[in-house]
Amino acid sequence: MGSADSKLNFRKAVIQLTTKTQPVEATDDAFWDQFWADTATSVQDVFALVPAAEIRAVREESPSNLATLCYKAVEKLVQGAESGCHLEKEKQIVLNCSRLLTRVLPYIFEDPDWRGFFWSTVPGAGRGGGEDDDENARPLAESLLLAIADLLFCPDFTVQSHRRSTVDSAEDVHSLDSCEYIWEAGVGFAHSPQPNYIHDVNRMELLKLLLTCFSEAMYLPPAPDSGSTNPWVQFFCSSENRHTLPLFTSLLNTVCAYDPVGYGIPYNHLLFSDYREPLVEEAAQVLIVTLDHDSTTSTSPTVDGTTTGTAMDDADPPGPENLFVNYLSRIHREEDFQFILKGIARLLSNPLLQTYLPNSTKKIQFHQELLVLFWKLCDFNKKFLFFVLKSSDVLDILVPILYFLNDARADQSRVGLMHIGVFILLLLSGERNFGVRLNKPYSVRVPMDIPVFTGTHADLLIVVFHKIITSGHQRLQPLFDCLLTIVVNVSPYLKSLSMVAANKLLHLLEAFSTTWFLFSAAQNHHLVFFLLEVFNNIIQYQFDGNSNLVYAIIRKRSVFHQLANLPTDLPAIHKALQRRRRAPEPLSRTGSQEGASMEGSRPAAPAEPGTLKTSLVATPGIDKLTEKSQVSEDGTLRSLEPVPQQGSADGSPTVEEPSQARREQRRLSNASASGQWSPTSEWVLSWKSKLPLQTIMRLLQVLVPQVEKICIDKGLTDESEILRFLQHGTLVGLLPVPHPILIRKYQANSGTAMWFRTYMWGVIYLRNVDPPIWYDTDVKLFEIQRV
């Protein structure tokens, strides 16, 4: 039968279904088989031939027929899984049913009355098929998920058969050990199967259906208590599914082993189309959804210890019930970590390769999914996080993240990408090793729209952060606290900043310490505190190599004197705010010597008008996102929470209980009836007195006269001579006693768990356009907006 006939027959069946007002019996195979038995329709055809309006019409007007359609399609998948799909015809039926379910499921999820449908049991669908079997019947959702899992390890359909001769009876599906059929070498599996285009395509179709099953989460509004687990994911990742281990490793290895370059030969991807990428993308999406697990609320019931292969650490104590999270958290072998890290770094760097040799490699589009996966790995597996920071390999993750942050800074539709990038760097910056690694010289010359500099990875980070703050769009302001917290966390370990980076830090201080900026919002002064903390850390702990920064501080000394003499009387405060109404942009590039951008770089562009984006929930403030720890003499961290602090010794803003802080804020500022915040003298005094200026003032007191003397004596206007003097200068014994180093470490909380959920599903929604699985359905987790 030709493809056109096949489509026509399928369309006729759909029309019959939508026009029938009477229920069609489930036993009427002649009717139901038209949907899957005789047709060969691609998933794109199914989407075109089953319009949304018709699915909704059947749902409203003949619900029993929609129910039967779903039930029969699941039944066919279960039969296919039981039989092992040996015949071409059986394979075709399985694919047709999975395409049809992918099309219909979102319309079941969008209607609250239907939400329980897949979790109800269907009479006569018991395990044994006998009459008395109803009480142990499985809900439809469970039958569907188990069938998909079985079908993903089905010899000659989704995996290579191990049987050599055709005489042998086909492998028995029930005795098959799916651990021998893992899709790709890597974690816990050494054998790399021969690539097979057909198997990849079939896996992809089934993973698409699986992702659609999981997507019920999109139809529930974001709940403040993100403890609500997704029942589809919960069941699929439980011990009820005997394939969890091989499937987890198959997905992880498929993603991490993927090399879009085409076996290291430039331009190779132009010769043969890469059928692996769609599978890798689908695998990455399924993987991050199965790992959507709020670690703050997790209880840890026992896990059957017998399932652990050697690749997984023996659980002690037992891990979470979600076995995917459990396995992820227990990977522990160095070579497995190396494989994962190298794979993710290779894929994240892919868009950067583009810029050296345009079109030489296939450009991948799933970097956001990879960043979520990397986040999950670091969050759930501390051994992995330490492995990442143990060598300079962490820089292979850092550079692509900085590239994405810089590239997306002007684009409203990529706010989510900006957040995940910054969150990852915040997580890494809580570990001393990250700061130490940043001292490695930066020699890779990825064309980026930033000033040219010679220096280390720390310089790169500061220059990019400065660019985001001064020339990103307005919606990024909530991230400023995070960006500067990262710089504070690494500052005690930075051996030598370049002149470019030193000037950028002082330009930020200059911009943030103007009176109108300080007085125009209740939180703005925190940014000045963070920057002063950076300078204090470097002066106290890394003075010797940092003559560039010391010189920049001396040159901009007026900024520090202005801060020390900040006006606190009301007339002066009002005058400063008047000035603001005339100065439109909060941060300008003026005063920052921009310098030419790197050769070959393109400026960061705003989103094209009309670009779709999904809304995100607000992220918690930096005081909720992080926990303060103090670095002891021996380098260990001591938590400083939740002892109430009366202004810490170094004068940095203290994190009080939110309600107490808010009461204090209200007392010190008169919030007017309109809710418009306005500063008072008491409020300014309350934090001005805590500005940690002592160390810097002492430094200026000692060095400025000496520098001025050199200039007069030698009639100097030349920087190099002064820098040489500062390099050999010392302040030993002249500075106040060094303050303890404070690190603000990321801490998991339900607010970020909810943010990750909305971000991840938003990415998946927007990236699945062919076919457009969720477009124009009534999703509730986020809003779809146009830029």
Side-chain angles (χ1 to χ4, degrees):
M1 179 162 63
S3 159
D5 296 345
S6 165
K7 280 189 206 173
L8 195 63
N9 290 349
F10 179 74
R11 180 66 192 135
K12 278 184 188 154
V14 174
I15 292 170
Q16 282 179 30
L17 181 69
T18 50
T19 49
K20 278 190 194 298
T21 46
Q22 293 307 307
V24 183
E25 286 301 316
T27 48
D28 184 352
D29 284 337
F31 176 75
W32 296 112
D33 282 352
Q34 308 177 85
F35 289 96
W36 38 74
D38 314 316
T39 64
T41 40
S42 70
V43 69
Q44 284 76 10
D45 292 339
V46 171
F47 271 69
L49 299 172
V50 188
E54 293 181 19
I55 305 175
R56 289 190 177 117
V58 176
R59 187 183 71 195
E60 305 309 321
E61 286 144 39
S62 35
S64 73
N65 287 343
L66 182 61
T68 308
L69 178 74
C70 291
Y71 162 63
K72 295 293 284 184
V74 173
E75 185 182 56
K76 289 289 168 198
L77 289 179
V78 172
Q79 286 168 4
E82 294 281 316
S83 72
C85 282
H86 301 301
L87 306 172
E88 277 313 305
K89 183 166 173 158
E90 290 177 293
K91 295 184 169 107
Q92 198 52 59
I93 289 176
V94 162
L95 291 172
N96 288 336
C97 288
S98 82
R99 289 161 190 165
L100 193 59
L101 285 167
T102 301
R103 179 59 172 145
V104 170
L105 273 167
Y107 298 90
I108 302 258
F109 294 152
E110 74 174 0
D111 184 337
D113 296 338
W114 276 80
R115 220 159 268 149
F117 168 70
F118 269 88
W119 296 96
S120 54
T121 50
V122 179
R127 279 294 153 257
E131 281 307 304
D132 54 347
D133 221 19
D134 280 357
E135 55 272 20
N136 65 7
R138 278 194 182 283
L140 204 51
E142 294 188 3
S143 305
L144 171 57
L145 290 170
L146 293 175
I148 296 172
D150 283 339
L151 288 164
L152 285 167
F153 292 100
C154 188
D156 284 328
F157 180 49
T158 48
V159 291
Q160 217 92 47
S161 171
H162 290 186
R163 299 281 163 147
R164 289 291 157 264
S165 68
T166 42
V167 187
D168 262 327
S169 66
E171 283 127 305
D172 175 24
V173 199
H174 299 285
S175 61
L176 174 140
D177 176 7
S178 44
C179 284
E180 292 172 16
Y181 291 85
I182 289 171
W183 301 351
E184 186 57 77
V187 176
F189 196 65
H191 169 66
S192 190
Q194 211 37 52
N196 181 314
Y197 172 64
I198 309 283
H199 294 173
D200 275 2
V201 172
N202 294 342
R203 289 164 179 174
M204 198 185 79
E205 300 251 15
L206 289 163
L207 289 179
K208 219 180 254 322
L209 172 58
L210 187 57
L211 195 59
T212 309
C213 291
F214 294 159
S215 73
E216 187 180 10
M218 281 196 214
Y219 298 90
L220 304 169
D225 62 326
S226 58
S228 53
T229 41
N230 181 331
W232 296 84
V233 171
Q234 193 175 10
F235 178 80
F236 189 79
C237 298
S238 72
S239 50
E240 295 269 346
N241 174 0
R242 69 189 181 101
H243 303 292
T244 45
L245 183 60
L247 193 54
F248 169 75
T249 37
S250 291
L251 295 171
L252 183 63
N253 294 350
T254 298
V255 172
C256 295
Y258 177 53
D259 180 7
V261 176
Y263 310 100
I265 308 162
Y267 299 98
N268 205 9
H269 73 103
L270 300 175
L271 307 179
F272 55 90
S273 98
D274 176 8
Y275 55 83
R276 198 87 218 233
E277 189 187 4
L279 173 68
V280 175
E281 249 181 50
E282 212 68 54
Q285 292 178 359
V286 167
L287 200 51
I288 60 178
V289 170
T290 53
L291 297 170
D292 176 20
H293 172 79
D294 183 356
S295 50
T296 53
T297 56
S298 69
T299 48
S300 307
T302 55
V303 169
D304 172 16
T306 54
T307 55
T308 67
T310 42
M312 306 300 159
D313 222 348
D314 286 330
D316 176 45
E321 254 173 75
N322 174 328
L323 292 179
F324 276 41
V325 174
N326 191 341
Y327 297 143
L328 183 83
S329 65
R330 283 163 39 204
I331 298 170
H332 63 106
R333 291 196 298 214
E334 295 260 316
E335 59 269 33
D336 290 342
F337 286 158
Q338 189 62 33
F339 163 75
I340 294 170
L341 181 58
K342 277 274 181 281
I344 293 178
R346 177 176 60 244
L347 292 171
L348 285 177
S349 309
N350 162 276
L352 285 61
L353 291 173
Q354 294 294 324
T355 49
Y356 297 119
L357 295 169
N359 306 324
S360 63
T361 62
K362 188 178 165 84
K363 186 161 188 176
I364 62 157
Q365 302 295 336
F366 55 98
H367 47 273
Q368 300 193 84
E369 292 91 323
L370 288 166
L371 290 171
V372 175
L373 177 59
F374 182 75
W375 170 269
K376 298 279 179 198
L377 279 155
C378 292
D379 198 22
F380 294 150
N381 190 324
K382 286 301 168 246
K383 286 183 178 154
F384 177 74
L385 175 62
F386 297 140
F387 176 84
V388 168
L389 292 164
K390 205 170 72 174
S391 74
S392 52
D393 287 352
V394 66
L395 303 175
D396 299 337
I397 300 284
L398 170 75
V399 173
I401 288 178
L402 291 176
Y403 172 85
F404 292 128
L405 290 178
N406 188 56
D407 189 54
R409 68 175 193 265
D411 184 341
Q412 293 262 358
S413 69
R414 292 197 282 169
V415 180
L417 170 62
M418 297 294 294
H419 276 77
I420 177 121
V422 171
F423 282 160
I424 289 173
L425 298 183
L426 180 64
L427 180 70
L428 296 174
S429 76
E431 307 298 330
R432 172 182 179 276
N433 261 355
F434 182 63
V436 174
R437 299 284 160 235
L438 290 179
N439 290 307
K440 188 174 176 181
Y442 176 65
S443 49
V444 208
R445 287 283 169 253
V446 178
M448 281 164 85
D449 175 26
I450 52 172
V452 182
F453 68 92
T454 306
T456 65
H457 284 76
D459 295 308
L460 175 69
L461 178 129
I462 288 167
V463 168
V464 169
F465 283 10
H466 173 269
K467 199 82 175 173
I468 293 167
I469 291 171
T470 56
S471 64
H473 57 79
Q474 289 289 287
R475 304 254 327 264
L476 298 179
Q477 252 184 321
L479 280 176
F480 291 0
D481 275 350
C482 266
L483 292 168
L484 292 186
T485 298
I486 293 164
V487 181
V488 173
N489 282 347
V490 301
S491 60
Y493 312 109
L494 304 183
K495 294 198 181 321
S496 169
L497 286 185
S498 69
M499 193 57 98
V500 174
N503 284 333
K504 295 297 176 213
L505 286 176
L506 278 138
H507 175 241
L508 289 180
L509 182 71
E510 220 173 343
F512 290 149
S513 59
T514 59
T515 47
W516 60 257
F517 183 75
L518 283 174
F519 298 157
S520 60
Q523 305 296 321
N524 284 355
H525 63 280
H526 289 179
L527 299 171
V528 168
F529 276 86
F530 286 139
L531 285 164
L532 291 175
E533 204 176 328
V534 170
F535 298 144
N536 288 337
N537 282 342
I538 293 178
I539 292 166
Q540 289 282 18
Y541 292 97
Q542 299 289 349
F543 179 81
D544 285 354
N546 274 299
S547 51
N548 288 330
L549 181 67
V550 173
Y551 179 61
I553 288 173
I554 291 174
R555 273 189 50 222
K556 291 282 183 190
R557 56 190 178 277
S558 60
V559 181
F560 300 97
H561 290 301
Q562 277 160 12
L563 271 174
N565 300 315
L566 196 68
T568 55
D569 57 301
L570 265 179
I573 292 174
H574 288 158
K575 194 170 153 199
L577 293 173
Q578 273 337 112
R579 213 172 319 153
R580 180 199 191 186
R581 303 216 166 85
R582 294 198 293 275
E585 271 300 296
L587 289 175
S588 67
R589 293 157 178 261
T590 52
S592 158
Q593 300 76 9
E594 266 303 289
S597 272
M598 295 176 68
E599 208 178 322
S601 68
R602 288 192 317 271
E608 290 289 318
T611 307
L612 286 182
K613 66 187 186 73
T614 53
S615 62
L616 293 162
V617 293
T619 48
I622 194 73
D623 50 341
K624 297 266 193 329
L625 264 183
T626 55
E627 174 182 76
K628 280 191 184 177
S629 307
Q630 198 170 307
V631 181
S632 312
E633 296 288 308
D634 58 357
T636 54
L637 286 180
R638 191 165 62 79
S639 172
L640 295 179
E641 313 278 345
V643 194
Q645 290 170 293
Q646 283 342 98
S648 46
D650 64 343
S652 62
T654 60
V655 180
E656 301 162 312
E657 285 300 299
S659 56
Q660 181 195 345
R662 233 171 271 129
R663 273 204 307 278
E664 190 69 355
Q665 206 82 64
R666 267 205 302 277
R667 192 177 67 73
L668 293 174
S669 65
N670 40 13
S672 58
S674 64
Q676 185 62 48
W677 179 84
S678 74
T680 63
S681 295
E682 295 79 26
W683 171 76
V684 177
L685 280 165
S686 74
W687 55 260
K688 179 188 169 181
S689 59
K690 294 180 190 150
L691 282 168
L693 287 164
Q694 308 83 326
T695 301
I696 294 168
M697 288 311 192
R698 183 79 185 117
L699 173 138
L700 292 172
Q701 200 187 348
V702 175
L703 294 178
V704 170
Q706 298 182 347
V707 169
E708 282 175 342
K709 186 173 185 315
I710 295 177
C711 294
I712 293 163
D713 291 356
K714 305 202 172 169
L716 273 187
T717 46
D718 178 25
E719 289 188 354
S720 57
E721 188 77 26
I722 300 168
L723 283 168
R724 222 181 345 258
F725 161 72
L726 292 174
Q727 265 160 13
H728 298 112
T730 173
L731 292 174
V732 175
L734 298 171
L735 292 179
V737 178
H739 54 281
I741 296 174
L742 269 191
I743 301 289
R744 292 173 183 81
K745 281 175 86 88
Y746 168 81
Q747 55 171 4
N749 60 67
S750 51
T752 41
M754 196 64 232
W755 184 89
F756 270 98
R757 181 171 306 164
T758 51
Y759 170 61
M760 168 183 82
W761 278 114
V763 168
I764 291 171
Y765 176 96
L766 291 173
R767 302 257 300 104
N768 283 274
V769 282
D770 183 26
I773 302 181
W774 300 282
Y775 271 49
D776 293 327
T777 59
D778 189 12
V779 296
K780 294 278 196 293
L781 185 62
F782 44 76
E783 289 168 36
I784 293 92
Q785 304 159 336
R786 282 190 188 277
V787 172

